[in-house]
Amino acid sequence: MASFKRNGTGIRVAAGLAVVSVASTAFGEGCPGLVFSNLSAYYDFPSGIGVISAQVGELTGDGIPDIVTSDSHNGGVSDYAVVVMHGIGNGVLGSLSYLDVGIQPYMVRVADLDADGDDDIIANGSGGLAYRLSNGDGTFATPVIWWYNAGFGNVLVKDINNDGAMDIIATGDGLSGINVFIGHGDGTFDDPIYTHMDTQTVGLDIGDFDHDGNLDAVLVHFTLDRATVMLGDGTGSFVESQRFAIGHHPVSTKVADFDGDGELDVVIAYNFLDAVDVGYGNGDGTFGAMIRHETNVGGFSYPQSIEVNDLDNDGYLDIITAAGYSGPTILLGRPGRGFLRVRNYGAGGAVGISSIAVADLNLDGVMDVIAGDTVLNVGVHVVINSCEEMCSHCDMAAPYGDQDVSDVTLFASLFLDNNPIADLNRDDLVDLGDIVTFITEFASGCP
């Protein structure tokens, strides 16, 4: 992909879709516009399917990304199926099919469990944990199931014991603790190593928080409004390092180095708060005080799940939330410890967004967004990031590459709404200085 100069901002509505087209304020080199194009599509599912979780993998050996979602509302043809949509190229998906996993799945994960180069499917939910190994051609081996009361929780695939083989880590609201299934690299696993905790666990992510070479865990507890940090010993067991109070009804968490200091940080999303909280890592297995970032721009959002990725290729990590009642929300990473809230994308009645995934669906080198919708519209929104090039800060309205009255109209609307995208001079204020910046660059024309 060509390297573009990051020198513009913009926003454009894609009517009837889950998101709008967005261009972020500039930093360094990368995708200049973060533009979600009109190639975006909504794929309707049969009534009853609950897309609580969505993942992207390559399931057929054709090199084209596919999508796997949970089916938690007992829809489709089976109470125990995940939904598979095979990619047919250029970010377009084919018809859906069902894959029986033997349990009622809430969370799904796609990963190569047996080191054969093919993505396998893992599901965690009512009944326990299950996985099916891929044959590399879109078909799968029979399910392998561990029966226990998992319920709603998370499932990850990481090398917990540093032996080069993938392991499975699972939580659930029916499981007061962490289950770790140590893998042998051939698609087989030991019975779980269980670390008990004093309450139900829902959200989970994994990383080395204290630089000892072993993976640690951060968990959020829905009923106690609390997070817990557990340090791993490299064998599959964990000991508590820190617990701290957080917002109301946390459901999802991710770890990443947001400020580039070499320490992993944590972001937490909630079921009943219009915000995410970010805590910066201390490097010793603990995190600092939570810093709140609102996700609501009109109405209410309630972000139910989160992903972290660099959507605009500027070198700073962005936070993408499944803002349940307003559509997806993007918080663009900024230098240091800040984020630029872009907006909620509730166009087209896309409320009920409960899951989010990020992947390069059309293989153009920039990340696209997949949003699972599970309340009013039941299905998947696929939103292609076209990354169009803009010629200046004031080239705000698509199509890009020129400056005209549409840019003036859009800037005026954003400015009057006090939208942070109108902060063109990067002083964290939407004020007269931004008008001066806009007029100066508009008068100069495209370089």
Side-chain angles (χ1 to χ4, degrees), residues 409-428:
T409 301
L410 182 54
F411 173 74
S413 174
L414 294 170
F415 185 88
L416 292 174
D417 287 342
N418 200 38
N419 192 307
I421 294 175
D423 178 21
L424 300 187
N425 63 359
R426 309 295 294 147
D427 64 355
D428 293 321

Side-chain angles (χ1 to χ4, degrees), residues 358-445:
V358 176
D360 182 5
L361 290 180
N362 60 346
L363 305 178
D364 65 349
V366 293
M367 291 295 169
D368 311 305
V369 176
I370 304 95
D373 204 339
T374 192
V375 179
L376 297 183
N377 300 310
V378 181
V380 169
H381 301 266
V382 174
V383 193
I384 300 300
N385 178 6
S386 63
C387 191
E388 298 176 36
E389 185 172 11
M390 291 171 285
C391 63
S392 76
H393 282 81
C394 59
D395 181 17
M396 303 185 73
Y400 301 103
D402 61 1
Q403 294 170 181
D404 56 24
V405 67
S406 64
D407 301 306
V408 177
T409 301
L410 182 54
F411 173 74
S413 174
L414 294 170
F415 185 88
L416 292 174
D417 287 342
N418 200 38
N419 192 307
I421 294 175
D423 178 21
L424 300 187
N425 63 359
R426 309 295 294 147
D427 64 355
D428 293 321
L429 298 172
V430 177
D431 58 11
L432 180 61
D434 303 304
I435 296 178
V436 172
T437 299
F438 182 88
I439 293 173
T440 300
E441 293 206 10
F442 191 89
S444 299

Side-chain angles (χ1 to χ4, degrees), residues 29 38 149 199 204 220 258 281-282 292 296 314 322 324-325 336 370 402 435:
E29 299 289 334
N38 282 325
N149 184 23
T199 187
L204 162 75
V220 295
F258 291 113
N282 298 318
R292 183 149 296 176
N296 179 36
D314 66 351
Y325 292 92
I370 304 95
D402 61 1
I435 296 178

